[in-house]
Amino acid sequence: MSESSSNQWCTIESDPGVFTSLIEKFGVQNAEFAELWSLDDESLANLGPKVFGLIFLFKWTRNETSTGTCLSMEDIPSDLFFAKQVTTNACATQAILSILLNVEQKSDGDNSGGLVLGSTLEGFKNFTGSFPPDLRGEAIGASEEIRTAHNSFAKNDSFLAEQKQRKAEEDDDVFHFVAYVPYKDGHVYELDGLRTGPIRVGAYEGAHAWLPVARTAIQERIEKYAASEIKFNLMGVIQDKRIELNDKLKMLAEAGLEDEIADVKAQIMAEEEKRKQWKLENERRRHNYLPFIIQLLKEVAKSGKLEDMSKKASDRANELKRKAEERKAMLAKKQCS
């Protein structure tokens, strides 16, 4: 798909603060992202009472295969949202939409704490409801509101801004996002825009019983990689943690349990501080540090230390490159043996 510069999508960082702010720009309410460092039962339970889906980031390879079989067009549930990825760099937002647009929606103003899409995504879902997967992918790429929200997290780097998009080369690390969602038909689906259709990874019963099913599918993906590969990231799309805490606070206040009230208030404060930190980090991501860097280099040059520091940095970079090539050769030798 050819894209003009005005229609290009930037790469965005896989980070819970970035993704939470992104969906809030879409108009989504009552949801946030939480990073998972483990797939054990305790980590999954800590996600909270409402988990809408999981997003898995992994290093994509040309020979990438899944353990399941893609459903044909005739077998895809009629109201399951699945879109083909036809836009470069849109896989993060596409995986997010694959979860949001498959959650049972609550109306604006709903007080139950359920996920609210908002007018932008609600309108998009209704508009593309009858589209086949490839046209849904085209609609995502053509949506100015979605693209603008996505690109608002582009790094403010004058050098990067001048670079044209290029195709990934053989040695480049290419990363991709896929989504895992529980669906009302009692199955968990893997939604990958690079596939021809959704993959039904297993059946479940009960609200949280879908998480172990998704965990098994993710573990099977991870096990396909060499033991040295650690470049994975997993996040849950969950209910805003402040909702449950405020509900708990209200119940404790009615019961007059002062000690427990103080503990819950402290947890709410921690959540608010987390949000403030996310906001600060997102502002730093957008900030253009280039003028500061140029001025710093000028001052270092005036002090006469620039040449020596440049040589040390070059030597260190060459050493790191040499070690990386040695590790790559060792892995290739092990695979051959």
Side-chain angles (χ1 to χ4, degrees):
M1 179 180 175
S2 62
E3 298 169 292
S4 68
S5 59
S6 61
N7 291 332
Q8 288 181 356
W9 292 53
C10 69
T11 56
I12 60 176
E13 186 176 345
S14 179
D15 177 83
V18 169
F19 286 177
T20 300
S21 181
L22 173 61
I23 65 173
E24 289 175 349
K25 283 180 177 289
F26 292 155
V28 174
Q29 300 173 34
N30 303 339
E32 67 175 75
F33 285 77
E35 202 156 22
L36 276 163
W37 299 99
S38 171
L39 283 168
D40 58 33
D41 291 338
E42 182 180 359
S43 296
L44 294 178
N46 287 338
L47 289 174
K50 293 183 180 180
V51 185
F52 305 117
L54 298 175
I55 288 184
F56 181 55
L57 171 71
F58 59 95
K59 188 164 73 172
W60 182 85
T61 61
R62 295 185 184 277
N63 300 320
E64 177 65 29
T65 59
S66 180
T67 54
T69 303
C70 295
L71 297 179
S72 64
M73 286 295 296
E74 302 79 44
D75 294 329
I76 300 175
S78 59
D79 48 358
L80 176 71
F81 183 89
F82 172 74
K84 292 276 291 177
Q85 183 184 335
V86 297
T87 303
T88 304
N89 294 332
C91 62
T93 290
Q94 184 146 339
I96 292 170
L97 293 177
S98 294
I99 293 175
L100 298 178
L101 299 180
N102 282 307
V103 176
E104 184 178 356
Q105 305 303 324
K106 303 296 181 182
S107 61
D108 289 343
D110 182 272
N111 294 320
S112 66
L115 185 145
V116 178
L117 274 184
S119 60
T120 297
L121 294 189
E122 191 67 55
F124 180 84
K125 183 178 181 180
N126 292 335
F127 175 67
T128 60
S130 61
F131 288 8
D134 55 344
L135 284 184
R136 285 176 175 172
E138 292 282 359
I140 291 173
S143 171
E144 185 174 350
E145 291 174 306
I146 294 175
R147 183 180 66 251
T148 300
H150 174 102
N151 285 343
S152 69
F153 293 93
K155 290 183 178 179
N156 191 349
D157 191 313
S158 299
F159 290 125
L160 293 177
E162 295 298 323
Q163 294 179 359
K164 294 181 179 179
Q165 287 188 349
R166 64 176 181 85
K167 290 184 178 181
E169 297 179 355
E170 191 71 29
D171 294 335
D172 288 344
D173 283 346
V174 180
F175 294 91
H176 184 56
F177 293 86
V178 298
Y180 293 88
V181 296
Y183 197 59
K184 59 187 178 183
D185 65 357
H187 291 88
V188 177
Y189 290 89
E190 177 187 295
L191 303 178
D192 180 351
L194 297 182
R195 302 289 180 195
T196 58
I199 295 173
R200 189 179 288 142
V201 299
Y204 72 97
E205 293 182 5
H208 270 65
W210 75 273
L211 286 169
V213 178
R215 170 174 59 192
T216 299
I218 293 169
Q219 286 174 330
E220 288 175 354
R221 267 188 176 276
I222 294 174
E223 287 168 2
K224 290 182 179 181
Y225 290 83
S228 60
E229 180 57 65
I230 60 171
K231 295 177 181 178
F232 302 105
N233 182 255
L234 181 64
M235 278 188 272
V237 187
I238 65 174
Q239 182 187 59
D240 186 332
K241 288 181 178 292
R242 296 172 297 182
I243 294 173
E244 182 188 12
L245 290 171
N246 280 311
D247 288 345
K248 188 175 181 180
L249 182 63
K250 184 178 179 180
M251 289 188 294
L252 292 173
E254 291 173 352
L257 301 174
E258 294 299 327
D259 291 341
E260 288 84 350
I261 287 174
D263 181 57
V264 174
K265 283 184 175 180
Q267 293 179 57
I268 293 174
M269 288 181 63
E271 288 299 315
E272 295 293 350
E273 284 300 316
K274 178 181 74 176
R275 293 278 178 148
K276 290 179 182 178
Q277 186 63 29
W278 281 352
K279 182 179 179 181
L280 177 62
E281 290 171 356
N282 286 336
E283 289 172 351
R284 288 173 175 169
R285 288 183 178 96
R286 297 187 185 99
H287 185 72
N288 184 8
Y289 288 92
L290 186 58
F292 165 75
I293 293 170
I294 291 175
Q295 186 61 37
L296 178 63
L297 289 173
K298 287 180 178 178
E299 295 302 320
V300 173
K302 285 181 181 179
S303 69
K305 298 178 181 179
L306 183 59
E307 184 176 352
D308 183 53
M309 292 175 68
S310 298
K311 185 178 183 305
K312 288 181 179 179
S314 178
D315 291 344
R316 176 170 172 74
N318 290 333
E319 178 65 14
L320 291 173
K321 183 179 179 181
R322 182 186 64 79
K323 289 181 178 179
E325 289 174 348
E326 287 178 354
R327 285 195 298 268
K328 187 176 181 180
M330 288 176 63
L331 284 173
K333 187 175 180 180
K334 287 181 180 179
Q335 291 173 354
C336 291
S337 59

